[in-house]
Amino acid sequence: MRLVPCAVGLFALCAACTTAPPVQPLPMERPAMGGLSTAQRTRIATFLERMQQEGKVAGTVALVARRGRIVLLSAHGFADLESRRAIRVDDLFHLQSMSKPIATVAALQLMERGLLRLSDPVARFLPAFSDLRVAVDRPGSPGQYELVAALRPITIGDLLTHRAGFVGLPPRDTAAARLQREAAKALPPHQADTLDQYVTHLAALPLDAQPGTDFRYGPATIVLGRIIEVITGQTLDVALHEQIFRPLGMTDTFFTVPEAKRGRVVSPYALRPGRGLVRVPLDPMPPRFLSAAGNLYGTPTDYLRFCQMLLNGGELDSVRILSRQSVELMTTPQVHSIPLPFLPGHAFGLGVAIRKDDPAAWPGTPGTYGWSGGYNTYFRIDPREQVVFALFAQLVFSPVELELQRGFHDIVVQALH
C-alpha cells in the first residue's frame, strides 16, 4: 500500500490538501515551543504511517494542542481505500461514543439552569420508567429467573455514570440480556426507530442490575438524550446545536452531514482476520434515530474546540459553556473502578474516564480524562500539562486490538512529559 501523507505544517496546510483550508480552531504554535520536538513529531508520524502501511488502519488524523495552541495536526493515509482519496485534517469522522461527553455537557448546562438535578428520577421526564423490574437468575435453575421490584428509581446521576442497571458491557449471560436479545428480534433496527420509540421499548424491558449499583456501559446516554429533548422541547440535533455547537463555533459537527460536505466523510473499516480491512456501511443520513451515545459526525478541529473548552474550565474565546464547578464535577471520580479491560487504572466521572494514580493505567498524569469511540476516535485532556491530544480513525474498535490507540497514546505522553 502506497502511503499518502497529508500534514499541517506550522501555519498552513500542505499542498496535498487542494481545497480551501478549514478555519483553524485554535492558534498554531511552533511545535518546539509546545514541547514537541521535530524528532518527537517524527516518531508520531512514523508510528501512524507504519500502522497504515501494515494495513491495520486506512488513515488517521492526529492532533496535539498545548496551552491553547496547536502543536501537531497531521493526516496519514486514506479516507477511502476504494477511491484512494487521501485523508485530510478537515475530514468528517463518525464520532460514535465520543458523542457521550457532548451530551453530558448538555445535561450539565440544564442543571445549571435549574431544569435538572443529578438526583432527579428519570421517570420525572420519561414516565415509562416509573415501574421498573429487575430480572434475577434463580440459583441452581439454569434459564430460570424472577422479576423483582427496583429498590429505587433510576436517576439522572445513574445515567451519567452508567449505573442505571441496563444491559451493557462488560457482557454477561443474564436473564435480562437474554430477554433483551429476544425482544430485539421483534423490533426494527435502531436506524428505523425514532429516539422516543427506542427509549419506550427499552423502558419495557427488565433491568440487569439494581439502579445505582453496577457499572454497565450501555444505552444510558441514549436515554439522557431523550431527556434533553423533553426538557428543551427541541429535537436532540437542534438542542446540541444551540447549546454547544453554535456557541463554540463547531461548524462541522452534526447528526446529518449536509449534502455538500458528504464528500469529506471518512469511510469506516473493520480489520478482519485473513481479509484485512473490510469496509462497513455508514449510518443512514439523515438518521431517524438521534443517539446522544453515538451518531454524531465531526471534524478533529471541531472536537478540539470542545476539548479546549473543558480544559479552560468551561470557557473558550470569551464564551462560557459551563461553569468551572460543573467541569470539576464532570471530571471528579464517581465510579472508582471501570470494569472494562481496556481501561485499567481508571475511574469514571460524568461522561468521561479519569486516570487514577495507578501503575496499571496507561502512562500519563493522574487526573487526565477523556473517552473514545467505536471507530477508534480517541481523546485525552491533561489539566496539569495543559494538553489535549486526540486521534481520529474510522476502524471498528476491538478491546483486544489496542495497538493503534495505545501506540499513539504512549508516544504523545512520552513526548510531552
Side-chain angles (χ1 to χ4, degrees):
M1 182 181 291
R2 183 175 66 87
L3 178 68
V4 181
C6 177
V8 170
L10 185 54
F11 295 104
L13 289 169
C14 70
C17 297
T18 55
T19 60
V23 175
Q24 292 300 331
L26 296 174
M28 301 296 292
E29 176 68 279
R30 299 182 190 278
M33 297 294 290
L36 203 61
S37 69
T38 299
Q40 290 162 337
R41 283 184 292 134
T42 299
R43 279 196 289 273
I44 295 170
T46 298
F47 168 74
L48 295 175
E49 289 166 6
R50 176 177 66 79
M51 292 293 291
Q52 189 260 328
Q53 288 174 322
E54 291 178 358
K56 297 176 179 177
V57 66
T60 55
V61 172
L63 187 155
V64 180
R66 194 167 205 180
R67 293 185 286 273
R69 303 179 76 86
I70 296 172
V71 296
L72 175 72
L73 181 58
S74 63
H76 308 270
F78 296 99
D80 184 85
L81 292 175
E82 287 71 26
S83 68
R84 313 296 279 183
R85 181 174 78 79
I87 201 165
R88 297 170 26 145
V89 297
D90 64 338
D91 274 340
L92 288 155
F93 292 79
H94 193 172
L95 299 175
Q96 293 220 336
S97 288
M98 274 174 39
S99 306
K100 290 180 171 75
I102 292 173
T104 299
V105 167
L108 290 171
Q109 289 176 320
L110 296 177
M111 291 183 198
E112 291 185 358
R113 292 165 56 191
L115 302 175
L116 192 62
R117 294 178 299 178
L118 289 178
S119 59
D120 280 340
V122 167
R124 175 187 170 193
F125 310 100
L126 303 174
F129 286 92
S130 295
D131 185 20
L132 297 173
R133 295 289 185 268
V134 181
V136 179
D137 288 297
R138 289 178 179 169
S141 301
Q144 300 296 310
Y145 68 93
E146 58 183 339
L147 297 178
V148 302
L151 297 178
R152 68 162 177 78
I154 299 172
T155 67
I156 300 301
D158 294 332
L159 296 180
L160 287 165
T161 57
H162 297 287
R163 292 183 293 189
F166 299 131
V167 174
L169 299 176
R172 303 192 314 160
D173 184 23
T174 60
R178 293 190 295 271
L179 289 168
Q180 182 167 295
R181 288 195 298 268
E182 193 62 30
K185 296 177 183 178
L187 296 175
H190 286 185
Q191 291 86 350
D193 261 347
T194 64
L195 175 56
D196 186 20
Q197 289 169 334
Y198 173 84
V199 169
T200 299
H201 293 318
L202 182 67
L205 295 171
L207 299 175
D208 194 30
Q210 287 287 346
T213 56
D214 298 343
F215 183 98
R216 297 275 196 281
Y217 186 61
T221 313
I222 298 175
V223 178
L224 183 69
R226 177 58 185 151
I227 290 172
I228 292 169
E229 289 191 332
V230 170
I231 292 174
T232 62
Q234 300 170 319
T235 56
L236 188 60
D237 54 345
V238 173
L240 295 184
H241 176 76
E242 293 193 1
Q243 291 180 219
I244 298 173
F245 304 150
R246 184 169 62 189
L248 280 178
M250 296 170 66
T251 58
D252 270 335
T253 304
F254 9 63
F255 284 105
T256 300
V257 179
E259 287 278 359
K261 298 185 177 186
R262 291 183 188 176
R264 291 162 48 200
V265 173
V266 178
S267 300
Y269 295 88
L271 189 57
R272 304 298 189 201
R275 300 173 63 192
L277 293 170
V278 177
R279 188 166 179 168
V280 297
L282 287 164
D283 283 357
M285 285 186 261
R288 277 174 54 83
F289 182 79
L290 302 178
S291 173
N295 60 357
L296 281 171
Y297 286 83
T299 60
T301 49
D302 259 20
Y303 209 88
L304 173 59
R305 290 190 67 81
F306 176 76
C307 292
Q308 190 65 44
M309 175 273 295
L310 292 176
L311 181 57
N312 291 351
E315 179 271 336
L316 183 67
D317 295 341
S318 300
V319 176
R320 180 153 294 281
I321 299 297
L322 279 182
S323 69
R324 187 171 296 276
Q325 291 82 359
S326 290
V327 176
E328 290 174 357
L329 176 64
M330 182 177 176
T331 57
T332 297
Q334 309 292 326
V335 178
H336 293 281
S337 182
I338 302 176
L340 298 174
F342 50 89
L343 278 170
H346 280 73
F348 197 80
L350 303 181
V352 292
I354 305 158
R355 190 193 188 280
K356 298 188 290 186
D357 188 3
D358 187 331
W362 292 7
T365 306
T368 296
Y369 61 91
W371 201 240
S372 58
Y375 282 159
N376 271 284
T377 54
Y378 172 85
F379 80 96
R380 288 295 184 269
I381 299 171
D382 184 338
R384 190 176 79 183
E385 298 291 334
Q386 288 290 292
V387 169
V388 175
F389 58 100
L391 182 69
F392 289 78
Q394 296 288 257
L395 175 71
V396 173
F397 176 79
S398 166
V400 297
E401 294 290 344
L402 299 174
E403 184 180 5
L404 178 63
Q405 281 191 21
R406 180 67 191 264
F408 173 74
H409 174 101
D410 287 1
I411 293 171
V412 173
V413 168
Q414 291 162 10
L416 292 171
H417 283 70

